[in-house]
mmCIF file of all heavy atoms in Angstrom:
data_model
loop_
_atom_site.group_PDB
_atom_site.id
_atom_site.type_symbol
_atom_site.label_atom_id
_atom_site.label_comp_id
_atom_site.label_asym_id
_atom_site.label_seq_id
_atom_site.Cartn_x
_atom_site.Cartn_y
_atom_site.Cartn_z
ATOM 1 N N GLY A 196 4.873 1.612 -9.434
ATOM 2 C CA GLY A 196 4.133 1.186 -10.616
ATOM 3 C C GLY A 196 4.643 -0.138 -11.138
ATOM 4 O O GLY A 196 5.605 -0.699 -10.608
ATOM 5 N N ARG A 197 3.995 -0.608 -12.171
ATOM 6 C CA ARG A 197 4.345 -1.906 -12.756
ATOM 7 C C ARG A 197 5.680 -1.824 -13.490
ATOM 8 O O ARG A 197 6.159 -0.734 -13.789
ATOM 9 C CB ARG A 197 3.259 -2.305 -13.740
ATOM 10 C CG ARG A 197 1.889 -2.260 -13.118
ATOM 11 C CD ARG A 197 0.948 -3.092 -13.898
ATOM 12 N NE ARG A 197 1.455 -4.460 -13.950
ATOM 13 C CZ ARG A 197 0.808 -5.476 -14.502
ATOM 14 N NH1 ARG A 197 -0.343 -5.273 -15.082
ATOM 15 N NH2 ARG A 197 1.319 -6.674 -14.497
ATOM 16 N N PRO A 198 6.249 -2.984 -13.812
ATOM 17 C CA PRO A 198 7.494 -2.970 -14.580
ATOM 18 C C PRO A 198 7.276 -2.297 -15.928
ATOM 19 O O PRO A 198 6.170 -2.356 -16.481
ATOM 20 C CB PRO A 198 7.798 -4.460 -14.793
ATOM 21 C CG PRO A 198 6.984 -5.194 -13.802
ATOM 22 C CD PRO A 198 5.804 -4.351 -13.492
ATOM 23 N N ASN A 199 8.322 -1.635 -16.409
ATOM 24 C CA ASN A 199 8.313 -1.097 -17.776
ATOM 25 C C ASN A 199 7.475 0.136 -18.047
ATOM 26 O O ASN A 199 7.315 0.528 -19.196
ATOM 27 C CB ASN A 199 7.846 -2.168 -18.768
ATOM 28 C CG ASN A 199 9.042 -2.778 -19.433
ATOM 29 O OD1 ASN A 199 10.051 -2.087 -19.621
ATOM 30 N ND2 ASN A 199 8.943 -4.037 -19.770
ATOM 31 N N VAL A 200 6.934 0.741 -17.006
ATOM 32 C CA VAL A 200 6.105 1.930 -17.233
ATOM 33 C C VAL A 200 6.960 3.184 -17.384
ATOM 34 O O VAL A 200 6.483 4.206 -17.867
ATOM 35 C CB VAL A 200 5.069 2.122 -16.103
ATOM 36 C CG1 VAL A 200 4.049 0.991 -16.122
ATOM 37 C CG2 VAL A 200 5.751 2.215 -14.745
ATOM 38 N N GLY A 201 8.218 3.096 -16.919
ATOM 39 C CA GLY A 201 9.104 4.248 -17.065
ATOM 40 C C GLY A 201 9.580 4.821 -15.735
ATOM 41 O O GLY A 201 10.043 5.966 -15.683
ATOM 42 N N LYS A 202 9.517 4.040 -14.665
ATOM 43 C CA LYS A 202 9.915 4.539 -13.346
ATOM 44 C C LYS A 202 11.397 4.910 -13.310
ATOM 45 O O LYS A 202 11.752 6.009 -12.880
ATOM 46 C CB LYS A 202 9.632 3.490 -12.256
ATOM 47 C CG LYS A 202 8.182 3.112 -12.102
ATOM 48 C CD LYS A 202 7.961 2.149 -10.953
ATOM 49 C CE LYS A 202 8.670 0.806 -11.138
ATOM 50 N NZ LYS A 202 8.202 0.052 -12.327
ATOM 51 N N SER A 203 12.250 3.983 -13.756
ATOM 52 C CA SER A 203 13.688 4.308 -13.700
ATOM 53 C C SER A 203 14.018 5.462 -14.622
ATOM 54 O O SER A 203 14.842 6.314 -14.276
ATOM 55 C CB SER A 203 14.601 3.150 -14.057
ATOM 56 O OG SER A 203 13.937 1.959 -14.090
ATOM 57 N N SER A 204 13.386 5.488 -15.787
ATOM 58 C CA SER A 204 13.644 6.597 -16.706
ATOM 59 C C SER A 204 13.292 7.920 -16.048
ATOM 60 O O SER A 204 14.021 8.899 -16.168
ATOM 61 C CB SER A 204 12.818 6.441 -17.980
ATOM 62 O OG SER A 204 13.005 5.173 -18.550
ATOM 63 N N LEU A 205 12.175 7.929 -15.324
ATOM 64 C CA LEU A 205 11.747 9.159 -14.651
ATOM 65 C C LEU A 205 12.755 9.571 -13.583
ATOM 66 O O LEU A 205 13.182 10.727 -13.514
ATOM 67 C CB LEU A 205 10.357 8.964 -14.024
ATOM 68 C CG LEU A 205 9.858 10.102 -13.139
ATOM 69 C CD1 LEU A 205 9.656 11.377 -13.952
ATOM 70 C CD2 LEU A 205 8.542 9.726 -12.437
ATOM 71 N N VAL A 206 13.115 8.594 -12.752
ATOM 72 C CA VAL A 206 14.068 8.891 -11.678
ATOM 73 C C VAL A 206 15.383 9.401 -12.265
ATOM 74 O O VAL A 206 15.930 10.407 -11.806
ATOM 75 C CB VAL A 206 14.290 7.635 -10.802
ATOM 76 C CG1 VAL A 206 15.472 7.813 -9.864
ATOM 77 C CG2 VAL A 206 13.028 7.319 -10.007
ATOM 78 N N ASN A 207 15.861 8.736 -13.312
ATOM 79 C CA ASN A 207 17.111 9.174 -13.940
ATOM 80 C C ASN A 207 16.979 10.573 -14.530
ATOM 81 O O ASN A 207 17.894 11.392 -14.413
ATOM 82 C CB ASN A 207 17.546 8.199 -15.033
ATOM 83 C CG ASN A 207 17.976 6.873 -14.439
ATOM 84 O OD1 ASN A 207 18.334 6.814 -13.256
ATOM 85 N ND2 ASN A 207 17.918 5.814 -15.216
ATOM 86 N N ALA A 245 13.050 1.891 -8.318
ATOM 87 C CA ALA A 245 13.410 1.441 -9.652
ATOM 88 C C ALA A 245 14.906 1.270 -9.797
ATOM 89 O O ALA A 245 15.381 0.603 -10.697
ATOM 90 C CB ALA A 245 12.907 2.449 -10.667
ATOM 91 N N GLY A 246 15.650 1.875 -8.886
ATOM 92 C CA GLY A 246 17.083 1.949 -9.029
ATOM 93 C C GLY A 246 17.790 0.632 -9.189
ATOM 94 O O GLY A 246 18.644 0.482 -10.047
ATOM 95 N N ARG A 248 18.203 -2.954 -10.390
ATOM 96 C CA ARG A 248 17.682 -3.819 -11.434
ATOM 97 C C ARG A 248 17.947 -5.264 -11.092
ATOM 98 O O ARG A 248 19.034 -5.616 -10.660
ATOM 99 C CB ARG A 248 18.371 -3.475 -12.755
ATOM 100 C CG ARG A 248 17.768 -2.277 -13.401
ATOM 101 C CD ARG A 248 16.682 -2.736 -14.312
ATOM 102 N NE ARG A 248 15.850 -1.601 -14.697
ATOM 103 C CZ ARG A 248 14.684 -1.768 -15.292
ATOM 104 N NH1 ARG A 248 14.232 -2.962 -15.527
ATOM 105 N NH2 ARG A 248 13.970 -0.723 -15.626
ATOM 106 N N ILE A 257 10.061 -10.811 -12.190
ATOM 107 C CA ILE A 257 10.097 -9.368 -12.388
ATOM 108 C C ILE A 257 8.854 -8.731 -11.778
ATOM 109 O O ILE A 257 8.914 -7.743 -11.065
ATOM 110 C CB ILE A 257 10.191 -9.027 -13.898
ATOM 111 C CG1 ILE A 257 11.525 -9.554 -14.447
ATOM 112 C CG2 ILE A 257 10.068 -7.539 -14.127
ATOM 113 C CD1 ILE A 257 11.661 -9.446 -15.946
ATOM 114 N N SER A 261 8.879 -6.329 -8.549
ATOM 115 C CA SER A 261 8.425 -4.945 -8.651
ATOM 116 C C SER A 261 7.288 -4.677 -7.677
ATOM 117 O O SER A 261 7.188 -3.595 -7.102
ATOM 118 C CB SER A 261 8.043 -4.607 -10.088
ATOM 119 O OG SER A 261 6.675 -4.795 -10.288
ATOM 120 N N VAL A 278 3.118 5.624 -11.589
ATOM 121 C CA VAL A 278 3.334 5.774 -13.024
ATOM 122 C C VAL A 278 2.583 4.666 -13.746
ATOM 123 O O VAL A 278 2.702 3.492 -13.385
ATOM 124 C CB VAL A 278 4.839 5.685 -13.374
ATOM 125 C CG1 VAL A 278 5.057 5.938 -14.860
ATOM 126 C CG2 VAL A 278 5.641 6.674 -12.539
ATOM 127 N N ASP A 280 1.404 3.241 -17.812
ATOM 128 C CA ASP A 280 1.819 3.312 -19.207
ATOM 129 C C ASP A 280 0.601 3.690 -20.050
ATOM 130 O O ASP A 280 -0.405 2.974 -20.062
ATOM 131 C CB ASP A 280 2.362 1.922 -19.599
ATOM 132 C CG ASP A 280 2.892 1.872 -21.019
ATOM 133 O OD1 ASP A 280 2.397 2.636 -21.870
ATOM 134 O OD2 ASP A 280 3.790 1.051 -21.274
ATOM 135 N N ASN A 308 2.302 7.965 -18.327
ATOM 136 C CA ASN A 308 3.579 8.182 -19.019
ATOM 137 C C ASN A 308 3.568 7.591 -20.438
ATOM 138 O O ASN A 308 2.659 6.869 -20.803
ATOM 139 C CB ASN A 308 4.712 7.569 -18.185
ATOM 140 C CG ASN A 308 6.070 7.971 -18.705
ATOM 141 O OD1 ASN A 308 6.275 9.108 -19.138
ATOM 142 N ND2 ASN A 308 7.019 7.048 -18.692
ATOM 143 N N LYS A 309 4.603 7.882 -21.175
ATOM 144 C CA LYS A 309 4.737 7.494 -22.593
ATOM 145 C C LYS A 309 3.647 8.161 -23.429
ATOM 146 O O LYS A 309 3.147 7.589 -24.403
ATOM 147 C CB LYS A 309 4.698 5.959 -22.765
ATOM 148 C CG LYS A 309 5.688 5.220 -21.889
ATOM 149 C CD LYS A 309 5.884 3.788 -22.328
ATOM 150 C CE LYS A 309 6.730 3.045 -21.290
ATOM 151 N NZ LYS A 309 6.959 1.648 -21.625
ATOM 152 N N TRP A 310 3.250 9.349 -22.991
ATOM 153 C CA TRP A 310 2.193 10.083 -23.672
ATOM 154 C C TRP A 310 2.589 10.386 -25.120
ATOM 155 O O TRP A 310 1.738 10.577 -25.978
ATOM 156 C CB TRP A 310 1.894 11.357 -22.872
ATOM 157 C CG TRP A 310 0.606 12.016 -23.232
ATOM 158 C CD1 TRP A 310 0.433 13.309 -23.635
ATOM 159 C CD2 TRP A 310 -0.703 11.426 -23.212
ATOM 160 N NE1 TRP A 310 -0.898 13.549 -23.887
ATOM 161 C CE2 TRP A 310 -1.616 12.407 -23.638
ATOM 162 C CE3 TRP A 310 -1.196 10.154 -22.902
ATOM 163 C CZ2 TRP A 310 -2.991 12.172 -23.754
ATOM 164 C CZ3 TRP A 310 -2.563 9.911 -23.008
ATOM 165 C CH2 TRP A 310 -3.442 10.922 -23.428
ATOM 166 N N ASP A 311 3.909 10.399 -25.382
ATOM 167 C CA ASP A 311 4.384 10.625 -26.758
ATOM 168 C C ASP A 311 3.953 9.520 -27.720
ATOM 169 O O ASP A 311 3.894 9.715 -28.928
ATOM 170 C CB ASP A 311 5.918 10.752 -26.753
ATOM 171 C CG ASP A 311 6.584 9.572 -26.069
ATOM 172 O OD1 ASP A 311 6.473 9.440 -24.823
ATOM 173 O OD2 ASP A 311 7.206 8.750 -26.748
ATOM 174 N N LEU A 312 3.621 8.336 -27.164
ATOM 175 C CA LEU A 312 3.271 7.218 -28.041
ATOM 176 C C LEU A 312 1.790 7.207 -28.433
ATOM 177 O O LEU A 312 1.348 6.366 -29.206
ATOM 178 C CB LEU A 312 3.616 5.886 -27.363
ATOM 179 C CG LEU A 312 5.094 5.639 -27.049
ATOM 180 C CD1 LEU A 312 5.271 4.275 -26.390
ATOM 181 C CD2 LEU A 312 5.931 5.722 -28.318
ATOM 182 N N THR A 342 2.584 12.545 -19.072
ATOM 183 C CA THR A 342 4.013 12.837 -19.166
ATOM 184 C C THR A 342 4.686 12.039 -20.272
ATOM 185 O O THR A 342 4.192 11.000 -20.705
ATOM 186 C CB THR A 342 4.724 12.473 -17.845
ATOM 187 O OG1 THR A 342 4.505 11.086 -17.578
ATOM 188 C CG2 THR A 342 4.208 13.287 -16.682
ATOM 189 N N SER A 343 5.795 12.555 -20.701
ATOM 190 C CA SER A 343 6.696 11.775 -21.523
ATOM 191 C C SER A 343 8.088 11.986 -20.958
ATOM 192 O O SER A 343 8.617 13.096 -21.001
ATOM 193 C CB SER A 343 6.644 12.226 -22.979
ATOM 194 O OG SER A 343 7.764 11.670 -23.655
ATOM 195 N N VAL A 344 8.633 10.927 -20.409
ATOM 196 C CA VAL A 344 9.987 11.053 -19.877
ATOM 197 C C VAL A 344 10.960 11.246 -21.041
ATOM 198 O O VAL A 344 11.883 12.043 -20.967
ATOM 199 C CB VAL A 344 10.367 9.822 -19.031
ATOM 200 C CG1 VAL A 344 11.804 9.918 -18.566
ATOM 201 C CG2 VAL A 344 9.434 9.706 -17.831
ATOM 202 N N HIS A 345 10.690 10.549 -22.139
ATOM 203 C CA HIS A 345 11.565 10.682 -23.303
ATOM 204 C C HIS A 345 11.650 12.112 -23.806
ATOM 205 O O HIS A 345 12.713 12.588 -24.170
ATOM 206 C CB HIS A 345 11.074 9.774 -24.448
ATOM 207 C CG HIS A 345 11.603 8.393 -24.308
ATOM 208 N ND1 HIS A 345 11.457 7.436 -25.288
ATOM 209 C CD2 HIS A 345 12.291 7.800 -23.309
ATOM 210 C CE1 HIS A 345 12.028 6.311 -24.895
ATOM 211 N NE2 HIS A 345 12.530 6.512 -23.687
ATOM 212 N N GLU A 346 10.524 12.784 -23.835
ATOM 213 C CA GLU A 346 10.523 14.153 -24.348
ATOM 214 C C GLU A 346 10.580 15.186 -23.227
ATOM 215 O O GLU A 346 10.321 16.367 -23.467
ATOM 216 C CB GLU A 346 9.306 14.362 -25.256
ATOM 217 C CG GLU A 346 9.378 13.434 -26.457
ATOM 218 C CD GLU A 346 8.199 13.553 -27.413
ATOM 219 O OE1 GLU A 346 7.253 14.312 -27.122
ATOM 220 O OE2 GLU A 346 8.233 12.873 -28.447
ATOM 221 N N LYS A 347 10.865 14.710 -22.009
ATOM 222 C CA LYS A 347 10.921 15.574 -20.829
ATOM 223 C C LYS A 347 9.686 16.465 -20.711
ATOM 224 O O LYS A 347 9.781 17.662 -20.422
ATOM 225 C CB LYS A 347 12.187 16.446 -20.860
ATOM 226 C CG LYS A 347 13.448 15.604 -20.805
ATOM 227 C CD LYS A 347 14.431 16.132 -19.789
ATOM 228 C CE LYS A 347 15.415 15.053 -19.485
ATOM 229 N NZ LYS A 347 16.726 15.314 -19.161
HETATM 230 P P1 GDP B 9 10.534 0.744 -15.225
HETATM 231 O O1 GDP B 9 10.600 -0.739 -15.334
HETATM 232 O O2 GDP B 9 9.166 1.195 -14.775
HETATM 233 O O3 GDP B 9 11.623 1.348 -14.403
HETATM 234 O O4 GDP B 9 10.642 1.299 -16.730
HETATM 235 P P2 GDP B 9 11.912 1.891 -17.522
HETATM 236 O O5 GDP B 9 12.236 3.251 -17.030
HETATM 237 O O6 GDP B 9 12.985 0.884 -17.521
HETATM 238 O O7 GDP B 9 11.269 2.055 -18.957
HETATM 239 C C1 GDP B 9 10.808 0.940 -19.694
HETATM 240 C C2 GDP B 9 10.905 1.263 -21.169
HETATM 241 O O8 GDP B 9 9.996 2.332 -21.506
HETATM 242 C C3 GDP B 9 12.285 1.729 -21.582
HETATM 243 O O9 GDP B 9 12.570 1.185 -22.844
HETATM 244 C C4 GDP B 9 12.141 3.242 -21.671
HETATM 245 O O10 GDP B 9 13.033 3.804 -22.579
HETATM 246 C C5 GDP B 9 10.712 3.391 -22.134
HETATM 247 N N1 GDP B 9 10.096 4.665 -21.724
HETATM 248 C C6 GDP B 9 10.142 5.239 -20.500
HETATM 249 N N2 GDP B 9 9.483 6.422 -20.514
HETATM 250 C C7 GDP B 9 9.044 6.609 -21.766
HETATM 251 C C8 GDP B 9 8.304 7.655 -22.432
HETATM 252 O O11 GDP B 9 7.895 8.669 -21.853
HETATM 253 N N3 GDP B 9 8.017 7.472 -23.742
HETATM 254 C C9 GDP B 9 8.409 6.364 -24.430
HETATM 255 N N4 GDP B 9 8.095 6.277 -25.716
HETATM 256 N N5 GDP B 9 9.106 5.371 -23.848
HETATM 257 C C10 GDP B 9 9.424 5.486 -22.529
#
Side-chain angles (χ1 to χ4, degrees):
R197 307 200 58 176
N199 261 329
V200 293
K202 298 184 297 298
S203 347
S204 308
L205 173 65
V206 168
N207 291 338
R248 279 269 166 193
I257 296 172
S261 94
V278 184
D280 183 331
N308 190 38
K309 307 195 188 179
W310 196 236
D311 53 290
L312 297 180
T342 58
S343 166
V344 176
H345 275 189
E346 298 179 356
K347 297 227 162 148

